[in-house]
Amino acid sequence: MKATIVVDGLRVKARHGVYPQERQVGNVFEVSMMLDYPPALKAAVSDCVDDTLNYARAIELVQRVMAEPSSLLEHVAWRIHEALMVEYPGITGGRIVVSKLAPPLSAELSAVRFVLEF
């Protein structure tokens, strides 16, 4: 059996980017996570939030990381990964997707993304 916690489409206003305007004005980002967390199997039986990865706390952690500007989406995803691993050392793998929904490009697109799989 496998236990995976999913947070999908968390939208956060942040100031990540290479260009000065991105750092001043900010942008809307979307973070999605799939986290393999075997201890959550205990919660499937116990029905106790203390036995699992509390996604409300994980969201707060992501919001704190997103509040500190980075130049690259790659660095943002890595910092989210590191913060999650400190808070929840029982994570055995997963996927973090950081998307910039309105990149300052002269092209029509829905988003640019970085995907970190571990």
Side-chain angles (χ1 to χ4, degrees), residues 6-115:
V6 178
V7 174
D8 194 24
L10 171 64
R11 292 198 176 198
V12 180
K13 173 91 177 200
R15 299 178 184 273
H16 307 302
V18 174
Y19 302 112
Q21 178 184 342
E22 294 179 284
R23 295 290 183 106
Q24 291 173 353
V25 176
N27 206 323
V28 178
F29 294 81
E30 188 173 275
V31 178
S32 295
M33 304 178 292
M34 295 183 70
L35 306 171
D36 298 334
Y37 194 67
L41 291 171
K42 182 177 178 186
V45 175
S46 72
D47 196 28
C48 179
V49 71
D50 292 335
D51 291 336
T52 191
L53 187 152
N54 183 326
Y55 58 81
R57 285 198 342 230
I59 288 168
E60 289 172 4
L61 187 148
V62 170
Q63 290 170 325
R64 277 185 273 150
V65 170
M66 292 294 288
E68 181 183 327
S70 289
S71 294
L72 303 175
L73 297 179
E74 293 86 340
H75 190 244
V76 175
W78 181 256
R79 291 190 303 114
I80 291 170
H81 168 265
E82 291 298 294
L84 286 167
M85 296 306 292
V86 167
E87 184 74 21
Y88 297 103
I91 293 172
T92 59
R95 177 181 183 156
I96 298 169
V97 181
V98 180
S99 304
K100 185 182 291 189
L101 300 184
L105 302 171
S106 59
E108 189 173 324
L109 52 102
S110 60
V112 293
R113 295 183 173 82
F114 177 72
V115 179

